[in-house]
Amino acid sequence: MLRQAGAFRANQQVEERVMDSNPLERERGITILAKNTAVNWHGVKINIVDTPGHADFGGEVERILRMVDGVLILVDAAEGPMPQTRFVTRKALALGLRPIVAINKIDRSDAEPLRVHDEVLGLFIDLEATHDQLDAPFHYTSSRAGTATAELEKPGTDLVPLFQSIVDYVPEPKGDPEGPFQMLVSTLDFSSFIGRIAIGRIERGRVRVGDGVALLPLGEPGMVSEEEDFERNRVTRLYTFDGLHRVEVQEAEAGDIVALSGFETIEIGKTFTSVDHPERMEGIAVEEPTISVDFIVNNGPFAGREGKYVTSRQLRDRLFRELERNVALRVEETDSPDTHTVSGRGELHLGILMETMRREGFEFQVSRPRVITKLGPDGERLEPYEELMIDVPEAYMGVVMEKLGPRRTEMIEMKNPGQGMVRMSFRIPARGLFGYRSEFLTDTRGTGIMHHRFLDYGPWAGPLAGRKRGVLIADREGSVVAFALGNLQERAQMFVEPGDLVYEGMIAGENSRPGDLDVNVTKEKKLSNMRTTASDENVILEPPREITLEYALEYIEEDELIEVTPKTIRLRKRVLPANDRKKAARAARVADAS
Ligand SMILES: Nc1nc2c(ncn2[C@@H]2O[C@H](COP(=O)(O)OP(=O)(O)OP(=O)(O)O)[C@@H](O)[C@H]2O)c(=O)[nH]1
Ligand SMILES: [Mg+2]
């Protein structure tokens, strides 16, 4: 769309996924932060906000939806609607926005656009779309080829039909440009030159650089009384969006999405108004967090070796700073100054924060995630449930069901779209997913795909079994030796490779059976005087399992921690010395028996 609307120079080389500008986004191939752009199509300015698709970034989606008058829903022509599609679509439909559907990637050899068309309609009905919304225009598109068509028999040649639908179908902004100025802060940006920048859509009136404007505190919508204190300041800079650029302007009016600076107390959800008409808009409702983890100062033996920021003070300041723009996040202090509890919308949401911090040079530890329970109307305990969607080859269906059963899973749907694959969706307590991913990957030999997302709160499911297998724990500090791994790998999947540094209490691999084992991964082969060649190099080692942050979050048990540094992710026992762990286990057994 950018290209065909002339956002690029004729021969400009444009990289793929050009809006995903943040390094983490580029690396992972997903959108994390919503971004604004705008194109001009035959004299009509179309503001576009690109949102993340994943449900964990729902907070991001919820607030930007307040800036738009319509939505374009992109669905993969082979995969069909995914759990995350349902999430964003529900939000958009509930706000009464009119959707346009693009069934994209019709160039894929396994595309089934008609089936996907039906699935999207089914989804709309499920989500109680209005008549108007059900009447959504559908386009079959290939964004790679730059084509759209409303009828499959007539292959598209460009995106004109899609642009036309947007112009015809999405209402113009309704705000009166002659009324008193009003704008909701939907998102934030920061520049070291000009400070905090508010981004939002002007609801009503107009604003000029130099205007004195009020910035109202959060609160109930309506006129703000004289007593309430609010910031009054001058707009120092004003920008609108155009293609991939921000354009500095002197004036903007109702319907424009702008970036505006000059205020100290900018916060998401606050309202800007003219000074003589301080009318607050409804704030941004963000869904409550569902899981928590503890961020703990790194107290392992390797602390401070790889990170720049390691103190509890630095960690605390950084976490609280994150709240300014990450609206679905909560940070709480605990009894210990070394520990903060951080709550978010899912493992990915928290995982991205951790990943961002380690890139900035932070070093810290994280606990196993806990679900956030609530009380129901009759005082009963409720816990979060997720929708789990699994694609596996038919042969692995049995083992998946067998493993999910004890995790209190309920099957919602099973489909057999062909090609030997089955798609199943389940309702599962969020707790039931902890530790499941690694089993799933092992059980399906890496051929399965799983997605999950928050669904709702439901009755507490009772005790659930934890991880099935135990871990191998390094019993001393040192450098990992191939010879030692060669002996261990028959009964374990290693997480470390030769040359890695380990310490006592660090987790080096997964036991293929239940129960933890303390092992020496630094053990050298005894040198005899008959030594021949470098025997170490003859050991054939399985590659270690790669431990990513999200993997680690789903993997660890309550008595374990993840150590996160800019260079490494290590798993460890909370209690490092093997003797202390044994004593604790003995004490627990005694307590159990009595
Ligand atoms: N074959 C084919 N691939 C496409 C087409 N459009 C996009 N892709 C590929 O699909 C992948 C995902 O594209 P993205 O633009 O990141 O998808 P997205 O919906 O923005 O993803 P999120 O923002 O993370 O939800 C990229 O590798 C694209 O190259 C298409 O029309 N045909
Ligand atoms: Mg994207």
Side-chain angles (χ1 to χ4, degrees):
M1 290 176 77
L2 286 167
R3 181 174 283 121
Q4 291 188 24
F8 307 128
R9 279 174 282 113
N11 55 356
Q12 190 174 341
Q13 283 294 317
V14 183
E15 52 194 345
E16 219 189 38
R17 300 173 52 249
V18 67
M19 307 266 313
D20 291 340
S21 46
N22 160 314
L24 255 184
E25 296 182 312
R26 300 213 65 82
E27 189 174 294
R28 298 192 174 212
I30 56 170
T31 303
I32 298 169
L33 300 171
K35 309 212 188 36
N36 290 80
T37 181
V39 296
N40 219 298
W41 196 73
H42 296 293
V44 181
K45 179 166 188 182
I46 306 173
N47 281 301
I48 303 174
V49 191
D50 178 34
T51 66
H54 197 284
D56 272 23
F57 307 122
E60 196 70 16
V61 177
E62 283 173 79
R63 58 203 163 96
I64 74 88
L65 283 174
R66 292 285 295 277
M67 284 195 270
V68 301
D69 296 297
V71 288
L72 180 64
I73 298 175
L74 270 150
V75 183
D76 186 303
E79 288 174 352
M82 303 298 279
Q84 57 267 32
T85 319
R86 173 182 280 265
F87 180 86
V88 287
T89 306
R90 186 179 62 211
K91 294 279 161 208
L93 295 183
L95 279 174
L97 297 173
R98 302 177 80 187
I100 296 172
V101 180
I103 295 178
N104 190 37
K105 309 195 196 176
I106 52 166
D107 54 288
R108 273 177 71 152
S109 62
D110 53 351
E112 287 184 77
L114 291 176
R115 187 200 88 221
V116 171
H117 188 138
D118 285 347
E119 290 177 356
V120 174
L121 279 180
L123 175 66
F124 281 8
I125 292 168
D126 258 15
L127 297 174
E128 295 169 13
T130 62
H131 269 295
D132 226 23
Q133 289 172 328
L134 277 176
D135 237 5
F138 275 71
H139 290 278
Y140 303 102
T141 65
S142 167
S143 69
R144 186 163 281 176
T147 61
T149 176
E151 290 163 71
L152 272 176
E153 312 76 65
K154 297 191 195 142
T157 52
D158 51 32
L159 291 173
V160 169
L162 186 65
F163 279 115
Q164 197 60 54
S165 275
I166 294 173
V167 171
D168 292 345
Y169 193 77
V170 178
E172 278 182 63
K174 296 168 279 290
D176 173 12
E178 305 310 326
F181 172 60
Q182 196 186 36
M183 167 183 145
L184 182 73
V185 181
S186 293
T187 139
L188 284 187
D189 201 355
F190 186 83
S191 141
S192 39
F193 296 113
I194 52 177
R196 295 186 143 220
I197 302 168
I199 298 174
R201 180 177 65 173
I202 302 179
E203 246 353 268
R204 195 173 61 198
R206 47 172 53 102
V207 65
R208 285 170 214 88
V209 174
D211 277 0
V213 166
L215 178 55
L216 310 179
L218 300 173
E220 291 297 310
M223 291 301 283
V224 168
S225 74
E226 296 288 316
E227 291 98 71
E228 253 187 275
D229 197 26
F230 48 80
E231 182 179 355
R232 290 156 207 244
N233 242 321
R234 291 198 184 280
V235 176
T236 54
R237 283 179 205 223
L238 195 60
Y239 303 84
T240 58
F241 294 86
D242 182 26
L244 299 176
H245 309 284
R246 275 186 199 175
V247 188
E248 196 157 359
V249 293
Q250 290 305 308
E251 180 179 316
E253 64 174 36
D256 282 328
I257 293 181
V258 297
L260 178 163
S261 70
F263 294 75
E264 317 250 300
T265 60
I266 290 173
E267 243 178 84
I268 288 171
K270 283 189 170 182
T271 314
F272 280 107
T273 63
S274 61
V275 177
D276 49 14
H277 195 81
E279 185 187 356
R280 185 153 48 209
M281 294 177 63
E282 179 156 354
I284 292 173
V286 173
E287 292 197 1
E288 293 292 310
T290 56
I291 67 166
S292 301
V293 298
D294 291 334
F295 277 61
I296 307 166
V297 169
N298 191 359
N299 57 8
F302 295 172
R305 287 197 191 171
E306 293 168 343
K308 264 196 288 186
Y309 309 112
V310 293
T311 65
S312 66
R313 185 59 197 263
Q314 288 162 330
L315 194 60
R316 176 180 194 283
D317 289 352
R318 175 64 184 83
L319 289 174
F320 279 98
R321 191 150 32 90
E322 182 69 17
L323 294 179
E324 292 170 3
R325 66 152 294 132
N326 203 334
V327 287
L329 201 77
R330 303 270 178 284
V331 179
E332 289 152 279
E333 307 199 339
T334 65
D335 297 343
S336 154
D338 285 353
T339 305
H340 286 85
T341 300
V342 180
S343 308
R345 298 276 302 155
E347 289 125 19
L348 188 57
H349 184 208
L350 295 173
I352 294 288
L353 169 62
M354 296 170 200
E355 191 70 53
T356 307
M357 286 173 60
R358 71 190 279 236
R359 272 154 205 257
E360 293 168 0
F362 280 87
E363 196 176 301
F364 50 91
Q365 303 184 105
V366 210
S367 71
R368 176 189 182 162
R370 303 178 289 272
V371 298
I372 299 175
T373 58
K374 290 208 284 203
L375 290 184
D378 303 317
E380 74 279 25
R381 193 172 179 206
L382 302 178
E383 68 174 316
Y385 278 74
E386 306 243 340
E387 178 181 359
L388 169 67
M389 189 143 126
I390 283 182
D391 288 292
V392 281
E394 267 164 296
Y396 297 122
M397 211 176 97
V399 59
V400 168
M401 309 264 285
E402 191 183 305
K403 287 288 176 66
L404 284 175
R407 292 171 181 270
R408 310 285 160 106
T409 323
E410 215 180 287
M411 185 179 274
I412 306 174
E413 199 180 36
M414 178 155 89
K415 273 188 271 186
N416 210 329
Q419 286 149 355
M421 297 291 284
V422 205
R423 170 171 293 185
M424 299 178 278
S425 48
F426 303 90
R427 182 178 148 87
I428 178 169
R431 279 183 304 140
L433 281 167
F434 295 162
Y436 180 60
R437 188 179 295 271
S438 67
E439 274 186 49
F440 174 74
L441 290 177
T442 315
D443 291 346
T444 64
R445 291 171 210 216
T447 59
I449 302 172
M450 69 181 257
H451 291 278
H452 57 90
R453 60 150 203 115
F454 173 71
L455 196 61
D456 56 10
Y457 269 84
W460 178 254
L464 292 178
R467 195 171 63 207
K468 284 275 160 45
R469 301 186 172 96
V471 287
L472 299 194
I473 308 165
D475 67 357
R476 69 199 68 192
E477 189 167 322
S479 175
V480 175
V481 172
F483 171 74
L485 300 190
N487 288 334
L488 291 168
Q489 67 179 5
E490 279 156 46
R491 47 200 165 105
Q493 159 74 59
M494 303 311 299
F495 299 164
V496 292
E497 57 189 342
D500 285 353
L501 293 178
V502 294
Y503 51 80
E504 180 177 8
M506 179 174 149
I507 297 173
E510 182 179 75
N511 190 354
S512 53
R513 271 180 272 176
D516 295 347
L517 290 177
D518 290 288
V519 296
N520 181 3
V521 287
T522 66
K523 188 171 176 175
E524 304 268 0
K525 185 173 183 176
K526 282 253 160 40
L527 296 184
S528 64
N529 26 9
M530 294 285 289
R531 190 175 182 211
T532 47
T533 48
S535 46
D536 234 25
E537 279 149 37
N538 294 340
V539 187
I540 296 169
L541 291 177
E542 301 270 328
R545 181 181 292 167
E546 199 200 336
I547 304 292
T548 62
L549 253 172
E550 277 109 58
Y551 182 87
L553 285 168
E554 289 187 358
Y555 187 78
I556 62 167
E557 291 285 338
E558 194 42 51
D559 65 337
E560 296 164 354
L561 292 173
I562 311 167
E563 184 184 344
V564 185
T565 85
K567 296 212 181 89
T568 338
I569 291 171
R570 301 187 191 95
L571 307 183
R572 55 165 279 191
K573 287 287 170 184
R574 275 185 196 254
V575 178
L576 294 180
N579 277 333
D580 294 357
R581 265 182 278 120
K582 284 190 189 112
K583 260 184 244 157
R586 227 174 293 138
R589 269 200 304 276
V590 172
D592 266 359
S594 60

